[in-house]
Each structure stands twice: as C-alpha cells, then as structure tokens.
Amino acid sequence: MIGATSTSATPARALRPVTMRAAAPARWRRNALAALTAEDRALLAEATGVQLTADGERADGRSLVPALATAVARDRLTGQLPAGRPITRAYLEQTWAALPLGPASAGTIRDITALLDVLARHGVQHPEAQQPLALPA
C-alpha cells in the first residue's frame, strides 16, 4: 500500500541534539610561525612593525601576519632556510624572485625591501649587498 504507516513493533527513537564542538582556538593548534627563530622575529618586527611571540602569534592579538613572515617560517620548516642560518640578502633575493607579478605581491615586496634596509643598518654585509634587486620575473 502506498502511504501506509509502519506497523513495526519498534518504537521510533527521539533524536537527541548533537553538540558541535567549536574548533580549537588558533593558539592551541600547532602554528607554523613558531618555526621562526628569535632573530627572525626581531628582524621581521623591525622591518614590518609586527611583533610575533615565540609561539607564532601576533603580540597585539590580531590574526593577520605579514606574508614574508609566513614565507620565512615555511622555509624554516622545509629546510630551505636551515636552522642556524640567518636571513641574508641572498635568501631574500630568492624569495623576491619566486614572487608572482601583480598587486598581490606589493606588500611582500615592501617588506622584503624594509628587511634589506634592516640588514644593512645592522651591518650585515655580503658581497652582493650593494647591488639593487631586479624586479621579480
């Protein structure tokens, strides 16, 4: 029969509400920015004005961080910038060259330029330090 009701002896169970847990706060999850060394954080803070804590969070509690900080942390984690090796002009040139052209890269280019100025002020001199950077390809 179409539309007949069930004659099953098993009573229908009431659905109970499911409690959804909120995602863990960002500070409780592993943060890739924690891979930054104290020297990295100090240089990036001087160049960008953004202070990062040792666990990779912004000291002011905001959520956005400079893309350059994320790139340095990624390179620390992947071994492209090994632990114990400081950020150098050569490393920044490689980062610059890997950037895509376009307005989305403007902030990162500004931060790389500021970080190069910081390195120069700190007296970090390398043979290539006097040559201007070429625009990304």
Side-chain angles (χ1 to χ4, degrees):
M1 268 190 167
I2 297 179
T5 58
S6 171
T7 59
S8 168
T10 308
R13 286 191 258 168
L15 296 177
R16 54 178 204 169
V18 177
T19 305
M20 300 299 289
R21 290 187 179 176
R27 68 180 179 278
W28 294 352
R29 287 180 261 146
R30 179 160 165 36
N31 189 337
L33 291 170
L36 295 171
T37 66
E39 182 183 9
D40 295 343
R41 290 190 308 275
L43 290 171
L44 289 163
E46 191 173 340
T48 67
V50 175
Q51 296 273 347
L52 296 171
T53 63
D55 63 354
E57 300 294 324
R58 277 184 65 150
D60 61 8
R62 295 183 180 175
S63 60
L64 295 178
V65 296
L68 182 57
T70 304
V72 172
R74 179 197 63 230
D75 290 347
R76 289 276 184 216
L77 288 171
T78 62
Q80 294 241 1
L81 185 58
R85 181 174 162 213
I87 296 173
T88 63
R89 179 181 173 93
Y91 167 75
L92 292 173
E93 284 178 342
Q94 291 172 346
T95 304
W96 179 291
L99 289 173
L101 284 179
S105 297
T108 305
I109 290 170
R110 181 189 65 238
D111 290 345
I112 289 173
T113 303
L115 190 49
L116 286 167
D117 291 342
V118 169
L119 291 176
R121 280 196 307 272
H122 285 245
V124 178
Q125 294 296 321
H126 298 281
E128 73 277 4
Q130 303 306 318
Q131 302 169 4
L133 291 179
L135 290 175

